[in-house]
Amino acid sequence: IVILIFLAGIVTIWLAANRFEVSLPDKLTYEGLWVSFYGVALTFFQVLKLKGTAAATEKAINETKTQIKLVLSVAQVAKNTSELRYVKECVTNGKMELARLRLGDVKDFMTAIGFIDDLDYDKSIYKKLVNTLESNLNSLEQEINKTQSLDKNVFSKDIEKVVSFLMEVENKLKSK
C-alpha cells in the first residue's frame, strides 16, 4: 500500500505536468518535491510507530520488574518464616548466640516489609510485632549476658505470632 501511494503520487504529478505542458526540469522538481514530502511523512509515521513500541516495551519491563520484586518478596518471606522456626529451635537447644544472630536478620527483614509496595496489612499489628522482635532480641542478649533468664514459653509464643503474620503476608503476596 505504501509503495502504491508513492507510485500513484509520481504518476499523478507526471500526468498533471503533461496536461499543463510543464517543462521537464519543472516536472522533475515537482516529482522531487513529492518524493521529499512522502519521505518526511513516512519518517514521521515510523517515528510514531517506534514511540508506541517503546512505550509498550517500557510498560512490559515495569510489569516484569514488579513481578520479579513480588517473587523475591515471597521468597524472602518464606525464608524468614523458616528462620524464625530455626530461632525457636536454637532457643530450645540453648544456642542463644545463634538465635540472636538469626533473629536480628529476621527483624531487619520485618522492618523492610513496611517498604513493600501495594501490600495491605494491619500497620498497628506490624509495629507491635517489630517491637516484640526488638524486645526478644533484648531478652536473648540478657540471657547471653546472664543478667536475666529468658522465658522460653513467652518467647515461643511471640515468635509464632510473627510467623503467623509473615504467612499472612506471604499469602497476600502470592494472591497478587
Side-chain angles (χ1 to χ4, degrees):
I1 293 177
V2 174
I3 294 173
L4 289 176
I5 293 172
F6 176 72
L7 293 175
I10 296 236
V11 169
T12 303
I13 291 171
W14 193 265
L15 291 175
N18 282 338
R19 183 170 185 198
F20 294 112
E21 300 176 2
V22 176
S23 66
L24 182 62
D26 289 339
K27 286 180 189 177
L28 293 176
T29 301
Y30 293 130
E31 294 290 342
L33 178 65
W34 168 247
V35 170
S36 296
F37 171 76
Y38 189 78
V40 168
L42 193 61
T43 302
F44 178 73
F45 288 119
Q46 288 296 323
V47 167
L48 288 178
K49 187 176 177 182
L50 285 174
K51 184 178 178 184
T53 302
T57 302
E58 184 176 342
K59 181 181 176 186
I61 288 171
N62 288 335
E63 288 174 1
T64 302
K65 282 181 181 179
T66 301
Q67 289 299 320
I68 289 172
K69 285 180 184 179
L70 183 63
V71 168
L72 290 176
S73 295
V74 169
Q76 288 174 330
V77 170
K79 176 185 171 272
N80 281 283
T81 300
S82 66
E83 289 287 328
L84 282 172
R85 298 261 162 80
Y86 183 71
V87 166
K88 278 178 51 178
E89 183 180 322
C90 287
V91 168
T92 301
N93 295 328
K95 299 176 183 177
M96 300 303 173
E97 292 86 4
L98 187 55
R100 180 186 59 192
L101 287 172
R102 296 288 174 103
L103 191 59
D105 292 340
V106 173
K107 186 192 107 18
D108 291 343
F109 173 74
M110 281 291 290
T111 303
I113 284 179
F115 298 102
I116 297 176
D117 295 333
D118 302 328
L119 183 62
D120 184 34
Y121 58 89
D122 189 340
K123 307 291 185 201
S124 63
I125 291 174
Y126 166 74
K127 288 178 184 177
K128 286 178 187 176
L129 291 175
V130 170
N131 290 336
T132 299
L133 287 176
E134 289 176 2
S135 174
N136 285 335
L137 277 169
N138 187 38
S139 296
L140 282 171
E141 192 69 38
Q142 290 175 348
E143 174 72 26
I144 291 168
N145 294 327
K146 306 288 187 211
T147 57
Q148 187 175 348
S149 64
L150 177 70
D151 186 342
K152 293 180 182 179
N153 290 329
V154 171
F155 183 87
S156 180
K157 287 179 186 177
D158 288 345
I159 294 300
E160 281 304 316
K161 287 178 187 176
V162 177
V163 167
S164 296
F165 175 79
L166 286 176
M167 290 177 80
E168 180 182 327
V169 166
E170 181 179 359
N171 289 333
K172 286 182 180 181
L173 287 171
K174 284 180 181 177
S175 69
K176 288 190 175 201

